[in-house]
Amino acid sequence: MYLEFFESKGHLAMKSFSLVPHNDNSLLLINSGMAPLKPYFTGQEIPPRKRVTTCQKCIRTGDIENVGKTARHGTFFEMLGNFSFGDYFKNEAIHWSWEFLTEVVGLDPDRLYPSVYLDDDEAFEIWNKEIGIASERIFRFGKEDNFWEHGAGPCGPCSEIYYDRGEKYGCKKQGCTVGCDCDRYMEVWNNVFTQFESDGQGNYEELKQKNIDTGMGLERLAVVVQDVDSIFDVDTIKALLNRVATLANTEYKKDGDVDVSLRLITDHVRSCTFMISDGIMPSNEGRGYVLRRLLRRAARHGRLIGIEGKFLADLSTTVIELSKDGYPELEEKKAMILKVLTQEEDKFNKTIDQGLAILNDLEEDMVKKGIKVLSGEDAFKLYDTYGFPLDLTLEILEEKQFGVDEAGFKAAMQKQRETARNARKTTNYMGADVTVYQSIDPSLTTEFTGYDSLVCDTVITALTSESDLVEALTDGETGTIITEKTSFYGTMGGQQGDTGVIICETGEFKVEDTIHLQGGKVGHVGRVIKGMLQTGDKVTCKVCEKNRQNTGKNHSATHLLQKALRTVLGNHVEQAGSFVDGDRLRFDFTHFSALTPEEILKVETLVNEKIKESLPVQTEIMTLDEAKKSGAMALFGEKYGDSVRVVKMGDFSTELCGGTHISNTGVIGSFKILSETGIAAGVRRIEALTGDGLMNYYKETELTLHEAAKTAKTTPASLTAKIESLLEEIKALHSENEKLKSKLANDSLGDVMDQVTEVKGMKVLAVKVLDVDMNGLRNLGDQLKDKLGEGVIVIASVQDGKVNLMAAVTDEAQKKGAHAGNLIKAIASLVGGGGGGRPNMAQAGGKNPAGVDACLSKVAEVVAEQLN
């Protein structure tokens, strides 16, 4: 009724979007009708029409602890919405909401009460003057109730419509009216008028493009129309709840505690069914964890009310039957939904009995000790060993008035993560890391068809997330797809795997790497960029043509390179490893000395000659013996089967190779060696570029050259001459600078010979200068020694707030016991520093200029102690 009504008002009725947000990292799950339409509101995408209407499936878990305990809380709901993107505004929105509720649904106008934002006189006038609602029946509420705002961004006032359900639902308190917390006045409609842009600091600007975002909970409307207590009494949801009660051999509204479980299971099974239909799989993080949490809560409450055996799939069948008309994807994904529910319930059943027994023992122990809080370590042990999520432990203990040390649990979790990270190099008894890929059915294999075509139609045979075998992957998730056939080349023999996309009717997967798995399987590793892919889907594999072509150029170039190296250096050259992808190539080979520039040039020239000759690249399958007779080079240590693939490039190169190549060498274009280095004893490495990679390298080099020339204020052609000229200038300036510094140091020192004192018959000079660096102090020391003859010299300088100290001791002074290094050590502490040196010369630095005078005063005392 709702969708058809708004279609009659020029709206485009769109199907419900997936519960998995598309390109929206701010949300785990779609939680409102507006959420999937955000790009239209923000202007990032153009809407298919300026007026849109939807019935959107939503999940909210903010109040999960209250689900079941009250009759009004639920995690799954359907949100009816009509939206305007810069088209109609308040007048139409209010008129149509009233028309739909009173004329289409047939609600009594006298039982409907609108509310508006305190300052929204425009909305008040429309309700009062145009709709004809008496002013005393229009309620003005403040920001908390009637202003839609989330931080900075578009926001605005809203106008809600409440329905008076009658005294039987009320609190019977005097003055009970719209806004009361009781169940009498139920909000059924909310018109949000997005008319402002907020800066998040309380400042608002009027938006040029004003929007309408309307929300109405379908279940709430059904509660009103059917005149029932709560959403759990609405006919469709009640049918599911009755099925739960039948499985538990009980009835609804006979026992309060049992009712909590009946409501919780009913709600959670609805949520789980819809989540799995959108490709969400149980896991320990993100939306997968929300699903696992809901599943396990439902499974546990089933046990609490005596449901025997597995029951979630049974109930899910009822959900599918009740909702498949509106959501055909439920019927389409039925097999997968039931399989996932059964597997997850199986997993939980295996651990819950042990976990409950352990938790029971822990409870008894807490009672004995008079403790009310379970330790974080014990809670973590329950999680780590028995698969008990923390929230389940919290829920069970809360029923008995116990708590849990959540901070301790998080600390134990962090410790385990660090231990696991440090132990990642350890292997299992088979000598290899256990990975998710070992869970895949060993009978599955993949046929490679990519030599002849970059596109192939096939079927998905298995899917994995990063940690689990799954039935589906959905928007934004990373994982691996295994197919019956593939056109994607998997990383092997030094060649990086292909990239590209795998697409089907319901989703698109970006392949970022292709790998070989045990048992002849090929894994396509990447992420879902839209929609969902599931096991059994018919898909098309499309390899990125440009990347494959560039990789082929580099791979074919390594074959030419190997032959060129053998030709230039000798037949002792063997391939010792290689790496080729779409950007570059690397080739390791046996040779016992660095290549000379002449040898590198010869190799590079020979490869480029063979590229210019446009040699045909031909492949042939033959026996290993036939291949060897044809002169094909085999890789040292490589295992080959009975039949092998031989790649020939004219009469120049013949090699055994399973990789992909170009059709003739001319396609490579050109070849350039960037570096030649040693990587191990007797093993050298060449890194080189071809095709697009080489052109990009030249572009970047040219850009760098032009930037350098610009900085030097010249042209690229004149850059060398300019650099030589600048170096000469720098050399001359450096020499002049040293002379000036020496002169300044001398000027700063002045005539200090009158400050010479005698200590035990030895001349001692301790002086202070300003702003002289350590190099300058050493030069001054040499000059003062010439003037002083024999003796001890200490010079202190303060520069940029720091102290430089230098001590020089002549030969005669040394013979009498003076020692520059020990002298510096003894006095440097007075300027907050330290240092040392040889008997004839020593230096130190300090941080305390205020101590310079005390430092110099102490020189004579220290020299006196040193002299014989």
Side-chain angles (χ1 to χ4, degrees):
M1 287 163 74
Y2 182 88
L3 296 175
E4 285 172 5
F5 173 77
F6 278 100
E7 278 183 302
S8 75
K9 306 295 184 188
H11 290 63
L12 172 68
M14 296 178 76
K15 277 177 63 181
S16 173
F17 291 81
S18 167
L19 284 167
V20 179
H22 178 58
N23 285 343
D24 185 355
N25 295 329
S26 68
L27 285 178
L28 264 187
L29 294 155
I30 292 299
N31 61 3
S32 71
M34 183 274 269
L37 303 173
K38 264 201 266 184
Y40 302 149
F41 282 110
T42 59
Q44 289 170 312
E45 290 181 29
I46 297 166
R49 201 181 290 175
K50 285 193 169 185
R51 299 180 180 188
V52 163
T53 183
T54 60
C55 177
Q56 176 64 43
K57 49 191 172 184
C58 303
I59 298 268
R60 285 186 193 170
T61 56
D63 293 324
I64 193 170
E65 281 76 20
N66 292 320
V67 174
K69 291 179 185 173
T70 73
R72 63 166 75 172
H73 285 95
T75 57
F76 177 83
F77 61 97
E78 294 168 84
M79 183 65 81
L80 300 165
N82 58 284
F83 308 93
S84 163
F85 311 110
D87 188 10
Y88 65 84
F89 202 48
K90 287 183 190 176
N91 204 297
E92 294 89 337
I94 290 173
H95 274 275
W96 291 336
S97 57
W98 186 254
E99 183 185 342
F100 179 77
L101 289 176
T102 59
E103 295 178 28
V104 180
V105 179
L107 296 183
D108 180 355
D110 292 334
R111 295 173 77 170
L112 289 170
Y113 296 82
S115 72
V116 296
Y117 177 54
L118 274 176
D119 303 336
D120 194 355
D121 294 331
E122 184 186 357
F124 185 92
E125 292 290 309
I126 295 167
W127 280 116
N128 183 229
K129 301 274 170 64
E130 297 185 27
I131 305 294
I133 309 287
S135 57
E136 64 271 13
R137 288 185 53 211
I138 304 169
F139 291 79
R140 289 185 186 258
F141 291 135
K143 260 199 169 181
E144 202 169 293
D145 296 300
N146 275 47
F147 198 92
W148 205 253
E149 181 175 23
H150 292 286
C155 59
C158 59
S159 175
E160 298 172 323
I161 305 172
Y162 292 82
Y163 180 78
D164 180 1
R165 302 169 68 210
E167 284 184 23
K168 63 179 176 178
Y169 296 107
C171 57
K172 310 289 191 291
K173 289 178 187 168
Q174 200 168 358
C176 172
T177 186
V178 173
C180 181
D181 284 339
C182 72
D183 290 334
R184 176 171 176 175
Y185 296 92
M186 183 182 271
E187 177 216 325
V188 290
W189 195 298
N190 189 9
N191 283 301
V192 179
F193 310 125
T194 314
Q195 64 187 96
F196 301 114
E197 176 79 25
S198 164
D199 64 359
Q201 308 293 319
N203 301 308
Y204 302 94
E205 269 186 46
E206 195 90 12
L207 280 172
K208 283 179 189 164
Q209 178 179 300
K210 296 179 174 63
N211 303 314
I212 289 290
D213 161 19
T214 295
M216 173 166 64
L218 179 60
E219 292 85 351
R220 278 197 182 184
L221 184 61
V223 165
V224 165
V225 173
Q226 295 179 19
D227 191 21
V228 291
D229 279 1
S230 75
I231 60 170
F232 294 99
D233 299 289
V234 169
D235 52 7
T236 49
I237 302 173
K238 185 72 189 308
L240 175 61
L241 188 141
N242 287 341
R243 178 78 191 124
V244 182
T246 302
L247 290 177
N249 293 314
T250 186
E251 284 179 51
Y252 188 42
K253 297 189 178 173
K254 284 282 181 73
D255 178 322
D257 290 338
V258 171
D259 288 351
V260 168
S261 295
L262 291 174
R263 286 191 290 260
L264 182 143
I265 296 165
T266 301
D267 169 78
H268 285 12
V269 167
R270 289 178 83 214
S271 291
C272 294
T273 302
F274 276 89
M275 287 171 83
I276 299 166
S277 78
D278 280 333
I280 298 166
M281 295 290 123
S283 72
N284 283 332
E285 58 187 19
R287 60 182 75 97
Y289 181 67
V290 175
L291 173 60
R292 176 164 279 169
R293 187 180 179 193
L294 293 168
L295 272 165
R296 292 188 166 183
R297 289 182 98 223
R300 177 175 166 264
H301 277 270
R303 284 170 164 251
L304 286 180
I305 57 174
I307 301 178
E308 292 180 5
K310 295 191 291 257
F311 63 94
L312 294 178
D314 182 329
L315 293 174
S316 183
T317 307
T318 306
V319 176
I320 293 167
E321 283 305 310
L322 289 167
S323 302
K324 67 183 182 183
D325 290 347
Y327 301 96
E329 64 268 26
L330 295 175
E331 183 66 37
E332 290 163 20
K333 312 290 184 194
K334 183 175 180 178
M336 179 180 77
I337 295 167
L338 302 185
K339 188 175 178 184
V340 171
L341 285 168
T342 304
Q343 284 177 343
E344 186 68 12
E345 200 172 358
D346 262 339
K347 273 187 198 172
F348 188 51
N349 284 342
K350 281 175 188 170
T351 58
I352 193 168
D353 289 328
Q354 289 172 294
L356 286 171
I358 299 290
L359 186 54
N360 203 45
D361 291 344
L362 290 169
E363 284 173 30
E364 286 176 12
D365 195 44
M366 286 162 71
V367 171
K368 279 180 198 167
K369 293 177 179 172
I371 301 168
K372 282 282 184 183
V373 177
L374 181 71
S375 76
E377 289 81 4
D378 284 335
F380 181 72
K381 185 182 173 187
L382 276 166
Y383 164 78
D384 197 37
T385 313
Y386 303 104
F388 250 57
L390 177 64
D391 49 73
L392 186 57
T393 304
L394 282 163
E395 191 175 305
I396 292 168
L397 289 176
E398 187 192 328
E399 288 164 7
K400 296 165 188 177
Q401 280 75 52
F402 287 123
V404 177
D405 172 14
E406 293 184 56
F409 175 87
K410 284 174 186 164
M413 172 82 89
Q414 186 59 32
K415 187 179 174 185
Q416 191 233 37
R417 279 183 183 146
E418 283 165 11
T419 307
R421 198 176 295 126
N422 296 334
R424 265 182 200 154
K425 288 178 184 170
T426 59
T427 57
N428 66 4
Y429 71 97
M430 293 294 285
D433 288 334
V434 176
T435 68
V436 62
Y437 301 127
Q438 281 158 313
S439 312
I440 300 169
D441 181 348
S443 68
L444 297 178
T445 58
T446 308
E447 179 192 346
F448 177 61
T449 62
Y451 289 132
D452 307 313
S453 172
L454 299 184
V455 179
C456 102
D457 292 325
T458 184
V459 174
I460 295 176
T461 53
L463 290 166
T464 80
S465 66
E466 289 174 328
S467 57
D468 294 299
L469 203 57
V470 295
E471 285 296 313
L473 288 171
T474 189
D475 209 328
E477 287 188 328
T478 55
T480 303
I481 294 178
I482 292 97
T483 53
E484 281 180 2
K485 295 190 293 186
T486 186
S487 49
F488 284 78
Y489 180 85
T491 299
M492 190 168 59
Q495 179 178 331
Q496 275 297 99
D498 281 327
T499 59
V501 292
I502 295 176
I503 54 175
C504 65
E505 284 183 3
T506 57
E508 185 173 337
F509 182 86
K510 184 180 181 186
V511 180
E512 291 160 350
D513 192 12
T514 308
I515 57 176
H516 283 275
L517 303 173
Q518 290 174 325
K521 290 178 275 289
V522 173
H524 308 85
V525 182
R527 64 187 176 85
V528 181
I529 51 177
K530 69 176 180 192
M532 171 178 77
L533 296 95
Q534 71 178 94
T535 309
D537 276 351
K538 288 179 180 174
V539 293
T540 301
C541 295
K542 290 185 178 179
V543 173
C544 172
E545 187 175 353
K546 187 177 180 185
N547 183 63
R548 167 73 81 86
Q549 180 83 334
N550 285 339
T551 303
K553 289 177 186 178
N554 284 330
H555 197 161
S556 295
T558 62
H559 284 224
L560 296 177
L561 174 60
Q562 172 155 315
K563 181 64 177 180
L565 285 165
R566 286 171 71 86
T567 305
V568 173
L569 304 176
N571 286 339
H572 64 277
V573 169
E574 293 271 356
Q575 181 173 336
S578 72
F579 175 91
V580 293
D581 64 8
D583 300 320
R584 65 203 164 98
L585 68 93
R586 189 177 73 216
F587 188 75
D588 301 341
F589 58 99
T590 53
H591 188 57
F592 304 95
S593 60
L595 272 67
T596 64
E598 293 76 23
E599 286 171 333
I600 290 172
L601 184 60
K602 274 185 189 175
V603 169
E604 193 174 86
T605 303
L606 183 51
V607 172
N608 279 310
E609 279 174 10
K610 295 304 167 186
I611 289 170
K612 281 177 193 163
E613 287 175 24
S614 293
L615 303 174
V617 178
Q618 296 166 316
T619 58
E620 198 179 334
I621 305 295
M622 55 180 80
T623 68
L624 187 55
D625 285 340
E626 286 170 338
K628 285 178 179 173
K629 282 174 191 168
S630 75
M633 285 204 57
L635 288 188
F636 177 72
E638 187 80 23
K639 288 181 182 174
Y640 294 101
D642 293 335
S643 62
V644 291
R645 186 167 178 264
V646 177
V647 178
K648 284 186 62 137
M649 298 184 184
D651 295 328
F652 183 68
S653 163
T654 307
E655 286 189 40
L656 298 182
C657 178
T660 63
H661 293 271
I662 33 79
S663 56
N664 78 76
T665 60
V667 176
I668 298 169
S670 53
F671 171 84
K672 174 73 183 163
I673 293 175
L674 294 186
S675 66
E676 189 274 340
T677 53
I679 58 166
V683 181
R684 311 293 299 173
R685 170 172 289 173
I686 279 177
E687 302 217 27
L689 296 171
T690 72
D692 290 353
L694 183 52
M695 291 312 295
N696 291 334
Y697 169 75
Y698 283 142
K699 273 182 201 165
E700 285 172 19
T701 304
E702 191 177 18
L703 194 65
T704 304
L705 181 63
H706 280 282
E707 283 295 316
K710 187 179 169 186
T711 305
K713 295 185 170 62
T714 187
T715 63
S718 308
L719 187 57
T720 304
K722 180 76 174 184
I723 290 171
E724 286 170 351
S725 159
L726 287 170
L727 286 172
E728 284 297 318
E729 193 179 327
I730 289 166
K731 192 176 174 184
L733 288 170
H734 182 71
S735 175
E736 193 178 330
N737 192 35
E738 287 302 311
K739 285 176 190 170
L740 286 169
K741 279 166 75 176
S742 180
K743 184 178 182 304
L744 282 169
N746 283 326
D747 291 348
S748 172
L749 184 65
D751 187 7
V752 291
M753 296 313 288
D754 58 348
Q755 294 179 42
V756 175
T757 58
E758 277 204 16
V759 177
K760 292 188 178 180
M762 183 61 63
K763 291 176 186 173
V764 175
L765 176 59
V767 292
K768 177 168 65 173
V769 292
L770 290 173
D771 210 27
V772 179
D773 62 15
M774 197 62 81
N775 198 37
L777 290 186
R778 284 194 293 269
N779 289 334
L780 284 177
D782 290 341
Q783 291 171 39
L784 287 173
K785 272 198 288 185
D786 290 341
K787 289 182 182 177
L788 192 68
E790 294 296 335
V792 176
I793 297 161
V794 175
I795 313 173
S797 167
V798 177
Q799 189 182 35
D800 298 328
K802 290 180 182 173
V803 180
N804 294 321
L805 277 179
M806 193 283 305
V809 176
T810 63
D811 292 344
E812 281 302 313
Q814 283 177 60
K815 287 174 188 172
K816 292 189 176 178
H819 189 291
N822 294 340
L823 171 58
I824 280 285
K825 277 182 192 168
I827 63 173
S829 60
L830 293 168
V831 288
R838 302 185 304 278
N840 65 326
M841 208 283 290
Q843 60 190 46
K847 299 171 189 167
N848 177 24
V852 168
D853 291 339
C855 171
L856 294 175
S857 298
K858 194 177 179 182
V859 172
E861 180 190 324
V862 176
V863 172
E865 289 170 4
Q866 287 185 342
L867 294 174
N868 301 326

